Amino acid sequence: MSKQLKVAVIGCGGIANGKHLPSLAKQPEVNLVAFCDIIEERASKAAKEYGTQDAKVFTDYRELLASCDADVVHVCTPNDSHSEITVAALEAGSHVMCEKPMAKTTEQARAMLEAAERTGKKLSIAYQNRFRNDSLYLKQLCESGELGDIYLGKALAIRRRAVPTWGVFLDEEKQGGGPLIDIGTHALDLTLWLMNNYEPKSVMGSVFHKLGHRENAANAFGSWDPEQFKVEDSAFGYITMKNGATIILESSWALNVVEIGEAKTVLCGTEGGADMKNGLRINGEKNSRLYDTQIDLSSGGVAFFSGEEESDADREAQAWVKAILEDGEPLVKPEQALVVTQILEAIYESAKTGKAVYFD
C-alpha cells in the first residue's frame, strides 16, 4: 500500500470547495483529516462531504496545527493571511500548498520562502493554469526552442463585466487589490513560466477606478455595491526584464471591450510566436512563407498527464502529491511565485507614484 498523506485545509470557502477539495478527494493517497474556517458551519460541511470518518473541525488554524499533525496543509484564505498561516504551517512540520497569489506583499511572500528554506518543507502556490493542456504543450515548444528567443510576452486577464461580488474580493485590505492581484496574477505567472524569465528590471503601472462607482451595473454575478467596491476595476503593467525582453500585463474585471480572456498569453520569439486567444495557435515562417497552425488538443495527453477527464486542478493536485511522495520539486516553485508578487506590487506602486519601479 502506498503512503497515505494526512491533509488539512484552512479556509473552506469558494476556492476550497470549487477546486482544492474535489481535486484532493480524487487522489488515492490523500486523507482529508482536518478542516478549518472562521465560520464553523463551512468547515463542518466540508468535513462531512470530503473528510475521513474522524475528520476534525476547527475555527482557529493555530489549534488545527497544534493538534492534527498534518503532512500537508492547503491554505485557502484571503490574501492578507496567506503568509501568516503558511509560515505557521511550515514551522509546524507540514508541506504547504497556498492559494494564489503568494501574498499581498513582497515582504510577506519572502517570509514564506524563508520559512520553507528554514524548515526544509515543500511550498507551492496554486497556479493551476500551468496544468492546462495548451499550457503544457506550449511549454514543451518553448523548451525545445521552436519559438527561439522570446522577447515579447502579453499576459492577458480581461473580463468585460464579471466583478466577483461575494466574499472579500472587493476589500482592498484583505485582498491587496482587485483584478490585478486576483486574475492578473494567473496571466503573469503563466507568461513568466513559459518565457522562463524571472529577472525583472523595471515596471511601469497604471491602475483605474473608472466603473466601480456605477449603480445597477450589468455584471455576470449581479450588480456590485459601489460602496463596497474599494479596489481597482482594471490595471495594466509594462515590465522590462534584465535581458531586454518585455511583458505587457492587462487585467480587468470590468472593461468596455468585446474580446475577453483569462490566463491567456501571447508570445513572440525570433523563430515563431504563439497565442491562446482562440485555442492554441503557433505561427512562424518556413521556406520564405508565413504560416500559422491551430493545435488540436482534443485527444491524448501532454507530458506525464493523460485523460481528458482530468481538469487542470486535478493535475495540479496529482503533481503536488507526487512531488511530496517522491521528494521531487513542485512545478510551481515559491521562488517563481515571489517574483510574480514583486511585479504585481511594483505595478501598484508605480501607479501611485507615476514613476517606474526599478529592481536591484
Side-chain angles (χ1 to χ4, degrees):
M1 183 177 176
S2 62
K3 176 176 169 56
Q4 297 293 294
L5 294 174
K6 293 186 292 182
V7 179
V9 176
I10 299 175
C12 298
I15 196 64
N17 285 279
K19 174 192 163 186
H20 290 259
L21 291 169
S23 296
L24 286 168
K26 293 177 184 177
Q27 309 308 314
E29 307 90 349
V30 165
N31 291 320
L32 288 156
V33 300
F35 300 80
C36 180
D37 197 280
I38 57 173
I39 300 174
E40 187 173 3
E41 291 79 8
R42 288 202 300 216
S44 297
K45 182 177 180 295
K48 184 176 180 180
E49 187 170 352
Y50 296 103
T52 57
Q53 265 194 326
D54 57 349
K56 297 180 180 179
V57 170
F58 301 87
T59 56
D60 187 329
Y61 77 86
R62 299 170 190 84
E63 294 180 7
L64 181 153
L65 296 176
S67 64
C68 80
D69 191 29
D71 300 306
V72 184
V73 169
H74 279 228
V75 177
C76 305
T77 59
N79 299 343
D80 65 338
S81 60
H82 282 185
S83 183
E84 174 188 326
I85 296 173
T86 295
V87 170
L90 290 166
E91 291 182 340
S94 300
H95 305 291
V96 176
M97 166 76 78
C98 180
E99 191 38 60
K100 62 76 192 169
M102 190 171 185
K104 264 180 60 173
T105 68
T106 299
E107 182 182 8
Q108 292 173 351
R110 188 169 286 117
M112 296 163 70
L113 176 59
E114 290 172 353
E117 293 172 341
R118 184 170 64 250
T119 61
K121 293 298 177 180
K122 298 184 191 303
L123 170 61
S124 190
I125 308 302
Y127 285 117
Q128 76 275 2
N129 287 287
R130 294 194 192 187
F131 293 87
R132 298 189 328 233
N133 271 336
D134 56 347
S135 304
L136 292 165
Y137 187 91
L138 183 51
K139 181 63 172 176
Q140 290 180 329
L141 293 186
C142 293
E143 289 183 339
S144 70
E146 185 152 335
L147 302 189
D149 175 24
I150 303 171
Y151 56 90
L152 175 64
K154 294 182 181 179
L156 306 173
I158 298 293
R159 299 175 182 174
R160 186 179 182 183
R161 291 290 190 283
V163 177
T165 54
W166 62 91
V168 297
F169 281 103
L170 303 181
D171 186 329
E172 185 172 15
E173 181 61 30
K174 289 191 175 298
Q175 288 296 93
L180 179 63
I181 202 168
D182 177 40
I183 55 176
T185 190
H186 275 302
L188 179 58
D189 172 74
L190 187 61
T191 303
L192 292 171
W193 177 62
L194 290 167
M195 294 175 71
N196 192 29
N197 192 338
Y198 290 94
E199 296 188 332
K201 178 183 178 182
S202 65
V203 169
M204 281 291 296
S206 298
V207 170
F208 294 100
H209 299 76
K210 295 292 187 181
L211 304 180
H213 64 280
R214 299 196 174 193
E215 300 275 357
N216 302 314
N219 190 50
F221 307 115
S223 296
W224 57 80
D225 181 354
E227 294 297 319
Q228 300 297 319
F229 207 134
K230 304 297 185 184
V231 296
E232 81 277 1
D233 46 61
S234 58
F236 308 90
Y238 188 91
I239 305 142
T240 302
M241 309 303 283
K242 287 183 180 178
N243 70 345
T246 295
I247 297 174
I248 300 166
L249 172 58
E250 302 177 9
S251 65
S252 183
W253 284 336
L255 193 68
N256 287 323
V257 63
V258 175
E259 190 173 282
I260 60 174
E262 288 186 42
K264 305 289 186 182
T265 193
V266 177
L267 303 177
C268 301
T270 53
E271 302 304 316
D275 72 76
M276 295 171 163
K277 288 188 174 182
N278 183 24
L280 178 59
R281 298 184 298 182
I282 311 298
N283 71 81
E285 176 185 353
K286 284 184 181 178
N287 301 323
S288 302
R289 293 288 187 271
L290 298 177
Y291 73 88
D292 61 86
T293 302
Q294 188 88 28
I295 304 300
D296 181 5
L297 296 168
S298 61
S299 61
V302 180
F304 53 87
F305 299 105
S306 64
E308 287 303 302
E309 72 279 0
E310 290 179 326
S311 68
D312 48 4
D314 293 341
R315 293 168 180 166
E316 177 186 58
Q318 177 188 340
W320 170 233
V321 168
K322 186 172 190 255
I324 294 168
L325 293 176
E326 299 182 4
D327 195 22
E329 270 197 308
L331 182 65
V332 181
K333 300 174 180 60
E335 296 88 349
Q336 298 169 338
L338 172 61
V339 175
V340 175
T341 294
Q342 286 179 309
I343 292 173
L344 297 178
E345 186 177 54
I347 291 173
Y348 283 127
E349 178 64 23
S350 173
K352 286 179 183 176
T353 63
K355 300 177 181 179
V357 173
Y358 289 89
F359 297 87
D360 292 331

